[in-house]
Amino acid sequence: MQLIYSGDEQCVICNEYCEENEALCTRCRKKMRYSEESFYIGTNDEKYLVWSVFYYSNIVKELIIRLKYKSDFICGEILAKYMLELVKNNELQFDLISYVPMTKKALKNRGYNQGEFLANYLSRALNVPVISALIKIKETKDQIGLSGEERWINMEKCFGVQESKIIKNKKILLVDDVITTGATSFYCARSLKEKGINNVYILTIAKSNV
Ligand SMILES: [Zn+2]
């Protein structure tokens, strides 16, 4: 049975009318700035490829904040769909999906890990398993307000790997919400690489310059 358009489709951001099967109106969608190219983080000796769907601004920022701090999983699904589109459009191939972990304490406070939510969505859509490959072993200061260099120091030696047997020689897609300096993703990727992962690709919703 097909649902008949009810006429009360509203944009989740501005409440304006939006087209059938769309959660965002045309005007809001036009404000989302796509990041067209993938890029590397790290150095020539050790670098990881990063794909980000958008720049961290405007509507994208609002959607991420709602997912991250307001348990708004509708916004989470909207964002995850864009990530899925990027994976398909670029024919990204990987054996497993993982995500940036939170400490037990942080997870308890928030109640969920937004990266895990995105990873689970991609997993269902692509039929690729999610693995909780990483653990965060050190509580870190919020990266916001730290300088570039401080962020790298802050994130070093924060992550450990579990289930290292399963991940050996696999290609992993590591999911995160926003990439800024890349310190978090870099150290996650390094931890995995040290355990014999073949390749780690990073996929984030957005990239930010601040
Ligand atoms: Zn709108």
Side-chain angles (χ1 to χ4, degrees):
M1 195 185 92
Q2 217 167 2
L3 280 175
I4 296 162
Y5 176 57
S6 63
D8 60 354
E9 302 276 321
Q10 285 184 319
C11 173
V12 298
I13 294 288
C14 71
N15 295 330
E16 279 296 311
Y17 158 82
C18 59
E19 288 162 51
E20 200 172 354
N21 299 324
E22 292 288 352
L24 296 169
C25 70
T26 317
R27 202 164 56 177
C28 284
R29 269 184 286 146
K30 274 188 187 152
K31 287 183 193 161
M32 300 169 93
R33 286 175 57 219
Y34 281 92
S35 150
E36 307 287 344
E37 285 172 352
S38 56
F39 56 98
Y40 283 99
I41 49 166
T43 59
N44 273 342
D45 297 336
E46 186 185 1
K47 57 184 180 180
Y48 302 100
L49 187 62
V50 183
W51 300 82
S52 296
V53 188
F54 297 108
Y55 287 98
Y56 188 60
S57 65
N58 217 303
I59 308 291
V60 173
K61 195 171 174 179
E62 173 71 25
L63 289 167
I64 292 173
I65 287 169
R66 286 206 210 167
L67 165 65
K68 218 168 155 176
Y69 303 109
K70 296 174 185 171
S71 312
D72 190 334
F73 299 111
I74 303 228
C75 291
E77 280 200 11
I78 295 168
L79 295 166
K81 263 183 207 167
Y82 283 106
M83 292 175 113
L84 178 64
E85 219 169 83
L86 184 148
V87 168
K88 287 183 172 170
N89 289 347
N90 293 284
E91 296 174 4
L92 306 189
Q93 303 285 332
F94 38 85
D95 306 305
L96 296 165
I97 303 171
S98 202
Y99 51 88
V100 173
M102 294 161 75
T103 58
K104 277 186 184 161
K105 192 179 154 204
L107 191 59
K108 208 179 160 205
N109 285 341
R110 188 172 295 167
Y112 59 96
N113 177 332
Q114 71 282 356
E116 186 179 9
F117 174 86
L118 298 166
N120 281 332
Y121 182 98
L122 292 172
S123 169
R124 284 193 302 271
L126 297 163
N127 205 17
V128 174
V130 171
I131 185 165
S132 308
L134 293 155
I135 41 169
K136 194 167 179 193
I137 47 183
K138 197 173 86 181
E139 195 68 58
T140 45
K141 293 180 214 161
D142 199 324
Q143 295 280 73
I144 296 163
L146 297 181
S147 74
E149 202 186 339
E150 284 167 344
R151 287 179 186 222
W152 284 87
I153 294 164
N154 192 31
M155 295 317 289
E156 209 182 348
K157 298 190 180 94
C158 273
F159 302 103
V161 176
Q162 51 188 6
E163 312 216 47
S164 49
K165 272 186 195 153
I166 304 170
I167 59 177
K168 205 166 173 23
N169 299 326
K170 295 285 197 307
K171 282 186 187 172
I172 287 203
L173 183 77
L174 183 71
V175 172
D176 198 7
D177 45 37
V178 182
I179 190 162
T180 307
T181 59
T184 306
S185 306
F186 179 85
Y187 287 121
C188 283
R190 170 180 275 182
S191 303
L192 292 169
K193 197 98 181 184
E194 283 169 353
K195 295 289 177 185
I197 287 281
N198 235 352
N199 258 311
V200 189
Y201 304 110
I202 295 144
L203 173 62
T204 75
I205 303 164
K207 66 174 170 186
S208 167
N209 299 320
V210 280

